[in-house]
Amino acid sequence: MAVTKKKAAAKKSNTIKLKFDTSWSYDPAPESKSAATISKQYDLFINGEWTKPQSGKYFATINPANEEKLSEVAEANEADVNKAVASARNAYEKVWKKMPAKERAKYIFRIARMVQEKARELAIIESLDGGKPIRESRDFDVPTAANHFFYYAGWADKLEYAFPNRRTEPLGVAGQIIPWNFPLLMAAWKIAPAIATGNTVVLKPAETTPLTALKLAEIIQEADLPPGVVNIITGAGATGAAIVNHPDVNKIAFTGSTDVGKIIQRAIAGTNKKVTLELGGKAANIIFEDAPIDQAVEGVINGIFFNQGHVCCAGSRLYVQESVAKEVIRKLKDRLESLIVGDPLDKNTDIGAINSKQQLETIHKYIKIGRQEGAEMYESNCKLPGKGFFCRPTLFTNVAQSNRIAQEEIFGPVLAILTFRTDDEVIEKANNSPYGLSAGVWTDKGSKIFNMTKRMRAGVVWANTFNKFDPTSPFGGYKESGFGREGGLHGLLPYLNLVG
Amino acid sequence: MAEMLEGRKAQFIYELVQQDSTKAKAEKEVNLAIDRLIYYAGWCDKFQQLFSAVNPVASSHFNFSVPEPTGVVAIIAPQSDSLLGLVSVVAPVIAGGNTCVVLAAETKPLCAVTFAEVLNSSDLPGGVVNILTGKPSELASWFVDHMDVNATIYCENNSDTQKTMREKSATNLKRIFFYNNVNWYSEEGQSPYFIMDTQEIKTTWHPVENIAGAGGGY
């Protein structure tokens, strides 16, 4: 007995403790800002033209990595929203609704190609304005945005095949409000299916990240899309409210927080507006003892630290089976140390800047709450840049199911780790959330995967992977994570009426 | 259920006549109600195939989307057509795997109560269909307020009630459906799209192994 124990101990000590206190470091490898052109000031894109705001007001958009002003953009008021909606209505009735579907498709294919052609510039601006690492904007945001246009362009003249025994009709004018975490990609997610199905659009990007949407407006103008089919107007919450409440809007598509989603649901009561809401999440990522641990650790890191954790489907709750919890936590801590936090434009950066000061404060608030509630905090020892909004990748162990950091969406690089023993227990815990956007499960056993994915109440379930997206794959939530799907065949329905 | 309903056909016709229907109309309604149950019974294991998808993602993953029941559905049944209306809204909900709480027509609840006996003698598991009688004006808000209800269906064209219901449904972001002016006697009164109203689409991803750079053909 004693001998086996000794052997086991010897085996354990073979695992080398990683050392990070080395003098080696990466040289800076920044992408060049000169490949991007940002105007000093942007007006509103209404009826195919750049239009001065009737409000007369402009507001600054800054680079969250150094707090320097990048540009200033117009603040649309109610009169501007009226103008944009009127132009979308006019384009819908006079041009877009009547145009043969295959001709609509050609415009959208053209936009897709032009997004590809300007990929480098768009990626740089995305990282400058939003703080996300250039590696992500270059390899994920921009190509996926282009792919969404490519995918939905092809649907335009094939809708009769999508819904058995039904004809389809567009809804009219779609008001679309998007968040700051994937500014260009969200714009593509919203615009591509809407115009492919024959609707016209008034889109409002988030106030902290308007620049790539405005660049997209330039592309749309250059692509000769008929004026008014896509209108892009900038502003804050009041502008969004004006779109939601506008009587001539037929459809609201919103991505953002659950609180605002509920306000929208109340606001459209008594109207015939259709709505899709893609809201918050608190995804459970579950590791079983038979999982390939190294891959799982990598998946968990990607799940929570992708885009600084500013992801509604982020795997922010980790459930580890007790028998492997120690090993997983140790490996996570090691991996945390090797993440590079810094200049978003540096090609080596893993974690860029937090999108805004306000968001950084929210994250700090939750870290404080986590500690007060008795969870143990661990953060990476990395150096943070002196200026800008940065946050160390952080994880909490000894978290209780009822802790606020395990219940509420933090929207930052903060992982809450909980443990479990049995399948039933972890399902119960994972589903114990008002949210239901996404979930992850890591195990080597196929039958267990399907048992888990079936019982998980979430719209997207990743098995032995996490945070994967594709234009062909429907995305959207259960419960308070919202309703309606974006992407894939199922992403068409929110923009159509089915007629017998 | 359809068989049990047919077995009690005479009783349902009698009850409908008691509640302001004519014999001929009542007979038609009961026959249609029987057919509607058979219609949806057939969909139980077919609509999933129609509305699922295997999604051709560009990365090395297997990806598919399937409909799943949303959970507990609260239904305020149509006030007219007290049998056919009830059956037409309950059947697609349970054919899709949901359970429901249904409020019977306020002034014509007889058939709903007898329908409960049909459910019981059909061995439908307890709790799948729960039938209440009462006033929609009093109960509607409880149907949309309840935090453990996932979706609500309302079948009257009362815009004030619709407005209140949508407002209150925001408490837990219930899915809410208004079946305005649906003619339950016509073809538009039945379709798998009624089933899909109370379904969620779940998408599952799994990596596909790439062995030594071999293509998908190996």
Side-chain angles (χ1 to χ4, degrees):
Chain A
M1 200 55 197
V3 179
T4 17
K5 259 191 186 165
K6 234 182 195 172
K7 263 189 188 165
K11 200 180 165 197
K12 256 190 186 162
S13 69
N14 280 344
T15 327
I16 302 159
K17 177 92 180 76
L18 297 175
K19 284 186 182 165
F20 299 100
D21 49 352
T22 139
S23 56
W24 290 86
S25 67
Y26 285 87
D27 276 338
E31 170 63 285
S32 163
K33 278 183 212 171
S34 62
T37 323
I38 301 174
S39 308
K40 280 212 167 98
Q41 195 183 65
Y42 285 94
D43 292 326
L44 305 168
F45 185 67
I46 297 175
N47 208 27
E49 284 167 4
W50 294 99
T51 314
K52 294 251 171 256
Q54 299 195 10
S55 70
K57 286 187 201 156
Y58 291 84
F59 61 96
T61 180
I62 63 160
N63 177 351
N66 59 19
E67 300 171 54
E68 282 166 16
K69 182 171 151 183
L70 289 169
S71 176
E72 55 178 36
V73 299
E75 187 178 329
N77 65 10
E78 240 179 85
D80 296 309
V81 171
N82 279 339
K83 213 169 158 188
V85 173
S87 115
R89 170 63 57 196
N90 189 47
Y92 175 71
E93 299 293 348
K94 297 207 173 124
V95 184
W96 204 237
K97 190 170 76 170
K98 294 179 185 164
M99 186 182 287
K102 64 176 184 184
E103 299 303 320
R104 284 205 310 261
K106 288 175 192 168
Y107 283 105
I108 305 167
F109 276 124
R110 191 184 297 163
I111 294 170
R113 280 201 311 275
M114 290 173 69
V115 170
Q116 278 187 326
E117 280 161 19
K118 302 196 177 202
R120 186 169 175 215
E121 184 182 17
L122 287 166
I124 294 168
I125 297 176
E126 199 72 308
S127 283
L128 281 173
D129 200 20
K132 64 173 65 201
I134 186 79
R135 181 167 57 85
E136 287 174 12
S137 48
R138 179 194 64 199
D139 297 347
F140 174 71
D141 292 68
V142 177
T144 315
N147 289 346
H148 266 270
F149 284 110
F150 274 121
Y151 177 75
Y152 279 109
W155 265 121
D157 57 352
K158 301 167 190 71
L159 297 172
E160 62 205 272
Y161 296 98
F163 302 98
N165 211 24
R166 288 287 186 275
R167 281 187 305 108
T168 62
E169 280 173 357
L171 302 173
V173 176
Q176 307 182 319
I177 299 163
I178 57 172
W180 45 258
N181 57 345
F182 296 96
L184 179 70
L185 180 57
M186 286 296 132
W189 275 37
K190 295 268 186 286
I191 294 173
I195 62 176
T197 47
N199 301 278
T200 55
V201 164
V202 176
L203 175 114
K204 185 192 89 66
E207 68 264 36
T208 61
T209 55
L211 292 184
T212 43
L214 294 165
K215 275 278 157 189
L216 182 63
E218 287 178 5
I219 289 175
I220 285 168
Q221 195 178 32
E222 222 176 298
D224 271 336
L225 188 75
V229 172
V230 173
N231 304 276
I232 297 179
I233 56 174
T234 44
T239 313
I243 295 175
V244 168
N245 293 322
H246 198 289
D248 204 27
V249 168
N250 305 95
K251 155 87 188 177
I252 300 294
F254 171 76
T255 297
S257 74
T258 291
D259 286 344
V260 177
K262 288 179 180 180
I263 293 170
I264 291 176
Q265 171 85 329
R266 289 192 189 101
I268 61 146
T271 71
N272 286 325
K273 285 174 194 162
K274 261 198 164 189
V275 65
T276 34
L277 301 173
E278 205 275 89
L279 310 174
K282 191 77 190 175
N285 209 348
I286 303 170
I287 302 183
F288 286 96
E289 59 184 2
D290 64 351
I293 298 294
D294 287 337
Q295 285 169 42
V297 165
E298 214 39 49
V300 169
I301 293 285
N302 173 49
I304 182 63
F305 299 124
F306 177 57
N307 200 29
Q308 296 76 245
H310 301 327
V311 185
C312 43
C313 54
S316 48
R317 284 184 295 158
L318 172 64
Y319 289 93
V320 197
Q321 201 154 21
E322 261 182 27
S323 46
V324 290
K326 233 175 135 177
E327 184 189 357
V328 167
I329 291 169
R330 180 176 57 76
K331 288 189 168 175
L332 278 173
K333 287 178 177 172
D334 282 353
R335 186 69 179 84
L336 218 61
E337 291 298 339
S338 67
L339 292 172
I340 302 169
V341 183
D343 179 10
L345 278 191
D346 193 310
K347 291 165 191 161
N348 289 323
T349 295
D350 296 309
I351 299 182
I354 300 301
N355 188 266
S356 63
K357 190 166 180 226
Q358 191 193 2
Q359 185 57 27
L360 186 62
E361 280 163 6
T362 305
I363 296 167
H364 284 155
K365 180 190 86 182
Y366 274 107
I367 290 176
K368 204 171 150 200
I369 290 171
R371 300 174 78 156
Q372 280 167 350
E373 286 186 326
E376 277 172 46
M377 188 187 87
Y378 181 87
E379 58 173 16
S380 144
N381 288 304
C382 64
K383 270 202 200 109
L384 297 185
K387 270 173 102 186
F389 316 129
F390 290 91
C391 179
R392 291 196 175 84
T394 304
L395 57 83
F396 278 98
T397 52
N398 277 337
V399 179
Q401 181 77 23
S402 59
N403 285 171
R404 284 180 67 188
I405 53 167
Q407 287 289 332
E408 297 173 21
E409 185 175 42
I410 300 173
F411 227 60
V414 182
L415 176 68
I417 305 178
L418 301 93
T419 59
F420 69 96
R421 288 184 185 173
T422 68
D423 298 10
D424 288 340
E425 179 194 352
V426 75
I427 282 290
E428 178 91 32
K429 284 179 165 173
N431 284 340
N432 183 333
S433 163
Y435 296 114
L437 188 52
S438 65
V441 53
W442 299 83
T443 164
D444 229 6
K445 196 173 174 195
S447 56
K448 189 181 269 177
I449 288 175
F450 286 116
N451 181 28
M452 287 295 134
T453 56
K454 198 170 174 195
R455 291 164 71 192
M456 222 94 80
R457 300 270 294 152
V460 183
V461 185
W462 287 290
N464 291 328
T465 182
F466 208 91
N467 270 349
K468 297 287 174 227
F469 309 88
D470 193 277
T472 68
S473 176
F475 184 89
Y478 282 38
K479 301 191 275 185
E480 292 188 30
S481 290
F483 40 75
R485 292 293 176 266
E486 295 184 298
L489 187 157
H490 297 88
L492 294 169
L493 185 60
Y495 291 101
L496 292 166
N497 272 329
L498 300 183
V499 281
Chain B
M1 279 160 55
E3 282 165 19
M4 290 298 157
L5 206 159
E6 188 161 31
R8 285 172 175 253
K9 201 167 158 181
Q11 186 185 351
F12 278 107
I13 293 172
Y14 173 77
E15 285 172 1
L16 284 169
V17 172
Q18 290 291 303
Q19 295 190 321
D20 293 342
S21 191
T22 63
K23 184 132 195 283
K25 211 175 159 238
E27 198 168 337
K28 189 181 169 199
E29 181 168 351
V30 176
N31 282 333
L32 262 175
I34 295 166
D35 286 351
R36 191 132 300 165
L37 283 170
I38 298 169
Y39 173 83
Y40 281 110
W43 272 122
C44 289
D45 54 1
K46 294 170 194 68
F47 78 90
Q48 299 88 340
Q49 291 175 307
L50 219 54
F51 296 101
S52 290
V54 171
N55 308 307
V57 295
S59 55
S60 179
H61 292 90
F62 181 61
N63 173 303
F64 59 95
S65 301
V66 290
E68 276 190 357
T70 190
V72 175
V73 182
I75 309 169
I76 298 176
Q79 296 301 306
S80 54
D81 314 325
S82 63
L83 176 65
L84 180 62
L86 177 82
V87 167
S88 300
V89 289
V90 168
V93 166
I94 62 171
N98 298 285
T99 56
C100 68
V101 177
V102 56
L103 180 62
E106 181 181 348
T107 57
K108 302 174 181 175
L110 279 185
C111 285
V113 177
T114 312
F115 188 64
E117 291 173 19
V118 165
L119 298 176
N120 183 269
S121 47
S122 312
D123 287 333
L124 186 75
V128 173
V129 177
N130 305 276
I131 300 176
L132 304 180
T133 50
K135 293 180 179 167
S137 55
E138 277 175 14
L139 294 171
S141 70
W142 295 95
F143 276 46
V144 276
D145 253 358
H146 201 289
M147 291 300 279
D148 209 21
V149 168
N150 301 91
T152 311
I153 294 171
Y154 176 66
C155 307
E156 298 307 308
N157 201 4
N158 180 330
S159 54
D160 287 343
T161 314
Q162 287 188 358
K163 184 163 189 262
T164 323
M165 287 182 79
R166 195 182 291 277
E167 272 168 9
K168 292 201 168 182
S169 72
T171 50
N172 66 342
L173 287 171
K174 269 181 206 67
R175 288 77 175 115
I176 188 154
F177 301 95
F178 300 132
Y179 296 157
N180 289 339
N181 310 321
V182 176
N183 179 359
W184 301 109
Y185 287 87
S186 73
E187 271 299 304
E188 66 158 7
Q190 60 177 31
S191 98
Y193 293 97
F194 282 116
I195 302 179
M196 288 308 292
D197 279 348
T198 49
Q199 299 290 305
E200 304 283 340
I201 297 295
K202 177 186 277 182
T203 300
T204 307
W205 292 71
H206 197 281
V208 174
E209 188 174 41
N210 277 325
I211 301 168
Y218 292 90

